[in-house]
Amino acid sequence: MNDRPEDTNSGPAAAARTVLVTGATGYIGGRLVPRLLEAGHRVKVLVRSPDKIAGVPWLEQVEVVRSSLDDAAALQDALQGVEVLYYLVHSMATGAGFEAKEKSMAELAAKAAAAAGVRRIVYLGGLHPRNTKLSTHMRSREAVGETFLSGAVDAVVFQAGVVIGSGSASFEMIRHLAETLPVMPAPSWVRNRIEAIAVRDVLYYLVAAASLDRPVNRTFDIGSRDVLTYAGMMNEYATEAGLPRRLILALPVPAPKLAGLWVALVTPIPLSMSLPLVESLQHDAVSMEHDIDNFIPQPEGGLTNYRTAVALALGKERDGQVETTWANAGVDADPLPSDPDWAGHRVYVDERTFHSDVDPRHVWTVIEGIGGRNGWYSLPLAWQVRGWLDKLTGGAGLLRGRRHPKNLAPGEVVDWWRVERIDRGRLLRLRAEMRAPGRAWLELSVEPDGTGSRYRQRAIFFPRGLSGRLYWLAVLPFHSIIFPAMSRNITAAAQTIANAEASQRAT
């Protein structure tokens, strides 16, 4: 079994360098830093807002420089003693002057690197055809790369297409479109040929670039060598996610602005990102050369193909097994505080809390005894109807009960649930085995709250496709009745236990 996360690929052994990473609060930069540390490099990060990396696990292992890339003096000072500069900054802003500002910042960085004696600049640009009119953002990325290549410091400019990894904006657009729209009228660019690349392979090449032992000043196209149309990518995603094949109707118009607006409406990706993403899809994105193989060997086991990259992004291991813990299923293996709130799998949560004067241990007694003959503490008929429906459709239903009326252990059955985790006295997490268009969990927990307790329950649902989203909307009215009552009644049952115990002590 491959137990490495989706964004990990071990690179070749290399001499330690001192590196400065810009863009450490971004998707690639934030994931590159720990890989550089693992490779033995000394890492500095330059960030405008250190608060954005306050919770990252690698914070204490790096030197943080608070500055911006338009401060020439501060940048040159930060680059003192640095051998490799990773330039991973690219704005998704729009408007007049955008391209000029991006190029100006790159020129400033190139000059500061030369003045500080930096040996190499590493930049990640976009994969695009030659001699073709590019979108504003793709043209800007090409110009930034050319700025570094024409400077005094050697530059390695990687050109990558769609990056496949949970949290990557390009991947999230594929994910949300494929899951939301079983039938999709789409512009003509869905027929364009795309060579995607797994985020783990992008990071592998970026880390390896720091240790190239010969002068290099050129671009390298990098990709999976697995070429699909954009429509094919969405259908391959659907297959890997267990969804029916999507019907994609390619219309004979490009309509980038209209398509960008449509993406923003049907997915959580904001318009400020959907527009440049869609504009960048107006042309093929396929490697024109594979010269990188002459400089950096492919990762152990070879490059990650598209389907495997999708499986990893969905939280699957390469042998096809799926992670079952709700906390990490379908999200990036290393989620970061700087990740946008639209990144990762769509998750619906119904959360309820209830404060009471009851001792937490009495609340826990009720939690651990839930289900079976004790029931679910709210509208028994509604639970029974749902159980009958589940049984009729081939599910587990409510007839399985539980092994012991008071005690639970991981892996045990509780009606249509299975105990996924139990921290005795504190937390019980149940994974649903009922029939539903998605995956569901119920988490019950209690903690001290002054002289009493704070009870919390969370219903967590990962929808599968449009039917999963509609299912959640359909059950919301029932949740609004069942779950508040459940939290009140569990606390009331705990109070009854406490009263009985007090009465027994009194006699």
Side-chain angles (χ1 to χ4, degrees):
M1 175 183 285
N2 183 346
D3 59 0
R4 295 179 299 175
E6 61 159 310
D7 55 3
T8 300
N9 237 333
S10 56
R17 311 286 190 198
T18 299
V19 306
L20 175 69
V21 177
T22 66
T25 59
Y27 178 72
I28 295 293
R31 286 154 177 79
L32 175 63
V33 170
R35 308 298 175 260
L36 291 168
L37 291 168
E38 290 169 9
H41 300 301
R42 177 174 176 264
V43 181
K44 301 167 72 174
V45 297
L46 186 143
V47 293
R48 185 191 300 267
S49 303
D51 289 347
K52 288 188 175 181
I53 58 171
V56 297
W58 41 261
L59 184 61
E60 299 302 319
Q61 302 175 63
V62 303
E63 179 183 341
V64 180
V65 179
R66 181 172 186 170
S67 184
S68 62
L69 286 171
D70 53 9
D71 187 334
L75 179 57
Q76 186 171 328
D77 184 59
L79 286 168
Q80 295 301 315
V82 170
E83 298 170 84
V84 181
L85 166 63
Y86 283 93
Y87 193 89
L88 301 175
V89 176
H90 180 69
S91 172
M92 297 299 279
T94 57
F98 159 73
E99 290 181 83
K101 182 178 180 180
E102 291 283 290
K103 186 175 181 181
S104 174
M105 289 173 60
E107 289 172 343
L108 188 151
K111 291 176 182 177
V118 172
R119 292 179 55 252
R120 176 173 294 137
I121 296 173
V122 181
Y123 174 65
L124 180 63
L127 193 59
H128 59 272
R130 314 295 190 258
N131 305 316
T132 300
K133 184 178 179 181
L134 302 175
S135 69
T136 301
H137 281 267
M138 193 62 72
R139 188 169 62 238
S140 173
R141 297 180 80 169
E142 182 184 45
V144 169
E146 290 174 348
T147 297
F148 291 136
L149 292 171
S150 62
V153 178
D154 282 354
V156 173
V157 177
F158 292 119
Q159 298 183 148
V162 173
V163 176
I164 304 301
S166 184
S168 160
S170 299
F171 173 72
E172 294 304 334
M173 192 167 86
I174 294 170
R175 183 209 295 267
H176 290 296
L177 285 174
E179 293 197 351
T180 307
L181 301 173
V183 179
M184 192 182 316
S188 56
W189 50 258
V190 295
R191 296 195 188 102
N192 288 346
R193 297 166 67 244
I194 307 291
E195 182 181 353
I197 184 169
V199 63
R200 52 168 34 203
D201 292 343
V202 173
L203 297 175
Y204 169 85
Y205 283 127
L206 288 171
V207 171
S211 304
L212 287 171
D213 56 3
R214 50 176 159 163
V216 182
N217 189 63
R218 58 161 294 175
T219 62
F220 291 102
D221 290 354
I222 56 173
S224 62
R225 319 287 167 90
D226 196 2
V227 179
L228 300 165
T229 64
Y230 197 81
M233 292 173 66
M234 286 192 282
N235 267 317
E236 290 289 288
Y237 173 90
T239 299
E240 195 62 45
L243 300 170
R245 188 173 180 82
R246 279 21 205 158
L247 178 59
I248 301 171
L249 308 173
L251 306 177
V253 290
K257 286 186 169 55
L258 181 61
L261 178 61
W262 174 244
V263 169
L265 288 173
V266 301
T267 79
I269 298 172
L271 182 62
S272 60
M273 294 199 72
S274 66
L275 277 175
L277 285 174
V278 168
E279 287 176 353
S280 298
L281 295 171
Q282 303 307 304
H283 46 71
D284 291 344
V286 179
S287 295
M288 303 296 290
E289 45 82 13
H290 301 147
D291 294 352
I292 189 63
D293 291 346
N294 300 322
F295 292 80
I296 299 173
Q298 290 188 11
E300 182 181 352
L303 293 164
T304 310
N305 64 41
Y306 177 73
R307 279 285 292 273
T308 301
V310 170
L312 290 165
L314 291 175
K316 298 182 179 181
E317 302 292 350
R318 296 189 74 165
D319 65 358
Q321 296 302 309
V322 182
E323 291 293 333
T324 56
T325 302
W326 76 265
N328 62 15
V331 297
D332 194 274
D334 296 306
L336 299 177
S338 57
D339 286 351
D341 56 11
W342 47 260
H345 200 293
R346 169 74 78 179
V347 181
Y348 293 117
V349 179
D350 184 300
E351 182 169 338
R352 313 282 173 170
T353 60
F354 201 88
H355 301 264
S356 72
D357 296 329
V358 185
D359 190 291
R361 64 188 177 89
H362 297 309
V363 178
W364 177 255
T365 297
V366 180
I367 290 174
E368 192 171 0
I370 201 163
R373 292 185 177 181
N374 293 326
W376 294 89
Y377 296 94
S378 64
L379 295 179
L381 180 59
W383 285 89
Q384 289 170 11
V385 169
R386 182 63 180 90
W388 294 333
L389 291 174
D390 188 55
K391 197 70 175 176
L392 288 172
T393 55
L398 285 175
L399 301 179
R400 297 190 300 180
R402 47 180 290 159
R403 180 189 61 84
H404 191 281
K406 295 182 178 179
N407 301 320
L408 290 174
E412 287 188 348
V413 164
V414 182
D415 294 330
W416 65 47
W417 306 90
R418 190 171 297 274
V419 179
E420 184 173 272
R421 176 179 171 184
I422 181 167
D423 298 339
R424 191 153 276 106
R426 191 184 72 84
L427 179 144
L428 173 65
R429 183 180 298 148
L430 302 171
R431 182 177 75 251
E433 294 183 340
M434 69 181 114
R435 302 277 290 183
R439 290 180 285 164
W441 291 262
L442 180 63
E443 188 178 83
L444 312 176
S445 63
V446 64
E447 60 185 20
D449 184 22
T451 58
S453 61
R454 178 175 179 265
Y455 167 78
R456 184 174 72 159
Q457 67 184 35
R458 293 199 293 175
I460 303 133
F461 185 65
F462 281 13
R464 185 174 65 250
L466 180 61
S467 61
R469 288 162 166 77
L470 295 176
Y471 171 84
W472 179 261
L473 292 175
V475 299
L476 276 180
F478 299 98
H479 286 181
S480 66
I481 299 171
I482 291 172
F483 286 142
M486 186 174 171
S487 62
R488 291 193 304 270
N489 293 340
I490 283 178
T491 307
Q495 183 66 66
T496 300
I497 293 173
N499 293 341
E501 184 180 281
S503 177
Q504 188 175 14
R505 284 199 304 267
T507 57

